[in-house]
Amino acid sequence: QFATVDMSFQKGRLQLYRRHMNPAVEGLVEVAKTRMKETRLKIYTAQVMLDGLGPVTMLVDTGAASSILNWRGLGQMGLGRTSPEISPTPNEIGAIGADNVALRLTHRYVLRRGFNLVDDENGGLPGVRLGDDSTVNIDIGDIPVLESLANDNVGGILGADLLMHSDVVRLNFRGPLEGQLKLFGSPSKVIMTETELKEEAETPTPPSAEANCVSATYEELSSSRGK
């Protein structure tokens, strides 16, 4: 129904554009973008670099609170369960996914520097950097829904815990930009220069211990859902 969806974590707003494919985002710059691909189940995936490692083929799931990896995704990073960057989770995690199938997450990778989206069409953008004191725990294990997408080489789920480190997430669903995922951020906070990325990727990681726009706040959306 909509050509463009903008999720602004900075302002707490969701904006839906019926025809506008590239609306301006005031005060922010593009920091990452990619052309997503559909799996055989019609779910979008993106190629993601984690701390300069990868790319990992990840499902794009803005409704998932946490980003997770399976063992295939860990291999796409060039790591294994015995790599020094990987540690067992303090308490093995069992959870039920949206498909009501149990997940068993036994290990963890701690993202310390940032992530980027692979953009083969335009040569790429600098990427998203975590704050100086920020890390993101990415749990790893057996994830049945991803195993059902083994032929698509899916190795993880890109969730809100990573996406929220940008200020605006844009998804294009129509026209020449269909399938594009773009992240915007403040230059002073989230841009990683290519030199920084290269230097940090080479640093060993220690072991872990408009009129056509419909706009609403998340609170307004939640309230209307309950009516």
Side-chain angles (χ1 to χ4, degrees), residues 6-166:
D6 278 1
M7 290 173 282
S8 175
F9 298 110
Q10 181 190 49
K11 297 180 179 180
R13 300 188 70 85
L14 174 67
Q15 295 178 285
L16 309 174
Y17 297 86
R18 293 187 185 279
R19 291 187 290 274
H20 204 334
M21 291 179 292
N22 196 29
V25 179
E26 187 175 350
L28 302 176
V29 297
E30 297 177 12
V31 295
K33 69 178 177 180
T34 191
R35 185 77 67 162
M36 300 181 293
K37 295 182 179 180
E38 279 188 334
T39 68
R40 61 183 182 84
L41 297 181
K42 303 300 181 181
I43 305 171
Y44 278 119
T45 64
Q47 297 293 306
V48 184
M49 303 293 292
L50 301 170
D51 283 342
L53 304 175
V56 182
T57 302
M58 304 183 78
L59 294 182
V60 178
D61 189 351
T62 59
S66 300
S67 300
I68 52 179
L69 293 170
N70 62 10
W71 301 111
R72 183 183 302 107
L74 190 63
Q76 291 170 353
M77 294 175 67
L79 302 175
R81 68 177 72 202
T82 60
S83 298
E85 298 88 348
I86 307 303
S87 63
T89 54
N91 297 295
E92 184 174 315
I93 299 172
I96 299 296
D99 53 359
N100 292 320
V101 177
L103 313 179
R104 183 170 176 263
L105 305 174
T106 59
H107 289 69
R108 177 171 292 169
Y109 175 80
V110 181
L111 188 77
R112 300 180 182 276
R113 298 183 284 270
F115 71 99
N116 204 353
L117 305 174
V118 177
D119 182 15
D120 293 331
E121 296 179 2
N122 299 289
L125 289 165
V128 180
R129 178 169 56 192
L130 303 185
D132 292 339
D133 299 320
S134 297
T135 59
V136 177
N137 293 331
I138 302 180
D139 291 316
I140 309 160
D142 300 316
I143 308 168
V145 67
L146 299 188
E147 292 309 309
S148 68
L149 293 169
N151 290 340
D152 295 291
N153 208 30
V154 177
I157 297 174
L158 177 62
D161 57 345
L162 289 185
L163 294 171
M164 288 179 69
H165 282 273
S166 64

Side-chain angles (χ1 to χ4, degrees), residues 2 6 8 11-17 210-218 220-221:
F2 297 99
D6 278 1
S8 175
K11 297 180 179 180
R13 300 188 70 85
L14 174 67
Q15 295 178 285
L16 309 174
Y17 297 86
E210 116 207 87
N212 294 318
C213 168
V214 180
S215 176
T217 64
Y218 295 139
E220 289 168 343
L221 288 171

